[in-house]
Amino acid sequence: MRRGRDRSLGSADRALPSAPRRRVPLSKRLRRDWPFLAMVVPAVGLMILFMYVPMFGNVIAWQHYSPYVALFENPWAGWENFVRVFRTPSFWDAVVNTLAITTFQLIFYFPVPIALALLLNSILTPWLRTTIQSIIYLPHFFSWVLVVTIFQQILGGAGLLNRVLRDAGMQPVEIMTNPDTFLLLVTAQAVWKDAGWGMIIFLAALSTIDPAQYEAAAVDGAGKWRRMWSITLPAIRPTIILLLILRLGDALTVGFEQLILQRGAVGQGAAEVLDTYVYYQGVIGGDWSFAAAAGLIKGIVSLLLVLGANKLAHVFGEAGVYRKES
């Protein structure tokens, strides 16, 4: 019986050998897929227009840029702006704050949508599961202004929590204005706002699992935890790795609106991240070339993080974001 159970679970874990694929000529693929390519063209055009064309503006990072002079008539500065960025202590303070928030959110935020999806998937009543799912992902549609306002009304100095503490004869607590708890606060806001939305992706991955695998495992005596470990988690592992790679690509982008809305309350020392740093140096301070150099450094580091995480995924046998055809 034991050997039969192990054989059954092992067959669920092992991937079937894929048949060798025959390369289809490019002209034939174009004729075959032209309706899909036609649908993609508008999106690709918008992406080129609004994401790739603005990249040429990074040239001001090598200039002493002035918005009152034509772009290529500004004097060239070589690598001077990049050297200034690396020698500025406030830039490294922003890097430290950004990495602290990213690391904290990777540890305490990233697993939450996975746990929610597993818990919700275990609810067998469809209407209850749909209701809970709708309630959980509703905050994703709120703006950051509304999210911060709701937290202010609950955790602020005159908020609900402090009114209850005062009525009970206790000292009020400063959560919204305390730099020491700011890391925990922004992570809690991110979890409340976006964990439900991230859960949908994992629910979609869970829906692809054949129920016959659970039934076969249950017949062989596998308990609930054994079925989750041997069937559920391997099925959603590629999705987890893919989203982790994409999250690493945004590791240095921790939320401009969320941080800038609360920067005044907790101070620059706790809430200054790379996005707000570039904004204040460029738009507010008028040092456009310096801000462009700082932003370009951030973009290059993010690209290296994505490539490194994708390479690591290939080492562990996962597809990652892309895979080179052999």
Side-chain angles (χ1 to χ4, degrees), residues 58 85 91 274 278 290-300:
N58 284 319
V85 170
F91 170 76
L274 283 174
V278 170
F290 180 88
L296 191 57
I297 292 170
K298 173 198 159 190
I300 293 172

Side-chain angles (χ1 to χ4, degrees), residues 283-307:
V283 179
I284 303 299
D287 198 348
W288 301 93
S289 296
F290 180 88
L296 191 57
I297 292 170
K298 173 198 159 190
I300 293 172
V301 173
S302 298
L303 176 62
L304 293 177
L305 285 174
V306 170
L307 295 177

